[in-house]
Amino acid sequence: MTDSQATPSFRLAYVPGVTPTKWVRIWNERLPDVPLTLVAVSPGEAFELLRDGGADAGFVRLPVDRTDLSAIPLYTETTVVVIPKDHVIAAVDEVTAEDLADEILLHPLDDTLPWESLPGQPANERPATTADAIELVAAGIGVLAVPQSLARLHHRKDLTYRPLTEAPESRVALSWPEDATTDLVEDFIGIVRGRTVNSSRGRSQTPATGSASASDQSKRKSPDKGGARRKPAAGTAGKPAGKSGKPTGKAGKNARGGSGGTPKGAKRGKPRRRP
């Protein structure tokens, strides 16, 4: 690197509910000389931040506009309904959409669940954020359906949540500008996908790997005089050679046929007993 080049760095955006701690730790272990900066961003601002170069990549919620952004879906979250602890729904293990028929279901403006039609009764106004909706739930004004990670993020002692079946689910993805797929972005993609540190990602490691393989193949095909092993002659395998260079032991004296057969001048047959 020359003095005119900027010190490399990586900016990672993430929306509420996503915990990038594990991937950041692996990044710091593998690329300690490249600082990673976390950028917290709302779901509505995440894509513009990536397009404007405010982050190199980001954890976002699907859907993603694939016109200019690339995305790798990572996981799907369970949808839950947030309720006061003393609510009647708190007595059951899970809730269906029908169970919310008489409830006011709050629908914040930053909601990322792809509803086709909201269950329950609509509120007079939509809260601006999920955090605002949580406050309304605590005040007993309504209930709220969110991805489970957001229910944990906004946890309060006076609230609880239950899984909500028959509801849309939120999917988390890693996204980045398609025309800015840099080597550092490729490095982070490898970390998220669980590649090991020695895995080839199709760039600098590839030529080295190919060269090493060709060299190994050359050695196997053209062994040198000192390193080549020759197949031992029949009847001599595993026996040390005597001073004359000939193998000793039973394999050398009694083996029949081939190079280890009956020694010259010896008669075949049963041995005579000594008187």
Side-chain angles (χ1 to χ4, degrees), residues 120-253:
Q121 303 297 318
N124 293 331
E125 295 181 2
R126 294 185 64 180
T129 65
T130 299
D132 293 336
I134 291 289
E135 295 293 334
L136 296 176
V137 174
I141 295 177
V143 298
L144 175 66
V146 292
Q148 184 171 332
S149 65
L150 291 181
R152 292 174 176 173
L153 177 66
H154 298 288
H155 171 71
R156 291 174 51 125
K157 293 182 179 180
D158 54 347
L159 299 180
T160 187
Y161 59 85
R162 294 291 183 269
L164 178 61
T165 62
E166 303 173 3
E169 297 174 318
S170 177
R171 300 172 65 197
V172 174
L174 177 67
S175 183
W176 67 94
E178 186 174 356
D179 60 356
T181 309
T182 64
D183 287 345
L184 292 180
V185 170
E186 290 283 3
D187 285 324
F188 195 78
I189 292 172
I191 290 173
V192 170
R193 283 183 163 173
R195 294 172 183 157
T196 63
V197 67
N198 295 322
S199 296
S200 173
R201 291 175 291 100
R203 57 185 186 96
S204 59
Q205 289 87 340
T206 302
T209 303
S211 177
S213 300
S215 176
D216 292 343
Q217 292 177 0
S218 176
K219 290 180 180 179
R220 287 194 293 267
K221 291 181 180 180
S222 303
D224 56 23
K225 295 181 179 180
R229 290 188 177 183
R230 295 181 180 178
K231 184 176 181 181
T236 64
K239 299 299 180 179
K243 293 182 180 180
S244 63
K246 297 181 179 180
T248 61
K250 295 181 180 180
K253 292 181 178 181

Side-chain angles (χ1 to χ4, degrees), residues 18-217:
V18 177
T19 305
T21 307
K22 176 183 70 174
W23 297 299
V24 172
R25 175 181 54 80
I26 297 174
W27 175 278
N28 291 333
E29 291 173 353
R30 296 186 184 180
L31 293 92
D33 297 330
V34 182
L36 186 151
T37 302
L38 290 174
V39 182
V41 62
S42 68
E45 299 172 340
F47 301 117
E48 287 304 317
L49 181 73
L50 293 173
R51 291 187 177 100
D52 294 341
D56 299 288
F59 291 110
V60 300
R61 295 186 184 275
L62 295 176
V64 172
D65 183 0
R66 301 299 183 97
T67 304
D68 56 348
L69 296 175
S70 296
I72 301 174
L74 300 178
Y75 57 89
T76 301
E77 289 197 71
T78 299
T79 300
V80 301
V81 57
V82 181
I83 51 178
K85 278 191 172 180
D86 58 356
H87 197 285
V88 63
I89 291 179
V92 300
D93 293 331
E94 64 180 23
V95 184
T96 66
E98 292 181 359
D99 295 331
L100 302 179
D102 297 328
E103 302 291 337
I104 295 177
L105 184 65
L106 301 170
H107 190 207
L109 295 175
D110 63 356
D111 183 23
T112 57
L113 294 175
W115 294 100
E116 291 185 2
S117 62
L118 286 169
Q121 303 297 318
N124 293 331
E125 295 181 2
R126 294 185 64 180
T129 65
T130 299
D132 293 336
I134 291 289
E135 295 293 334
L136 296 176
V137 174
I141 295 177
V143 298
L144 175 66
V146 292
Q148 184 171 332
S149 65
L150 291 181
R152 292 174 176 173
L153 177 66
H154 298 288
H155 171 71
R156 291 174 51 125
K157 293 182 179 180
D158 54 347
L159 299 180
T160 187
Y161 59 85
R162 294 291 183 269
L164 178 61
T165 62
E166 303 173 3
E169 297 174 318
S170 177
R171 300 172 65 197
V172 174
L174 177 67
S175 183
W176 67 94
E178 186 174 356
D179 60 356
T181 309
T182 64
D183 287 345
L184 292 180
V185 170
E186 290 283 3
D187 285 324
F188 195 78
I189 292 172
I191 290 173
V192 170
R193 283 183 163 173
R195 294 172 183 157
T196 63
V197 67
N198 295 322
S199 296
S200 173
R201 291 175 291 100
R203 57 185 186 96
S204 59
Q205 289 87 340
T206 302
T209 303
S211 177
S213 300
S215 176
D216 292 343
Q217 292 177 0

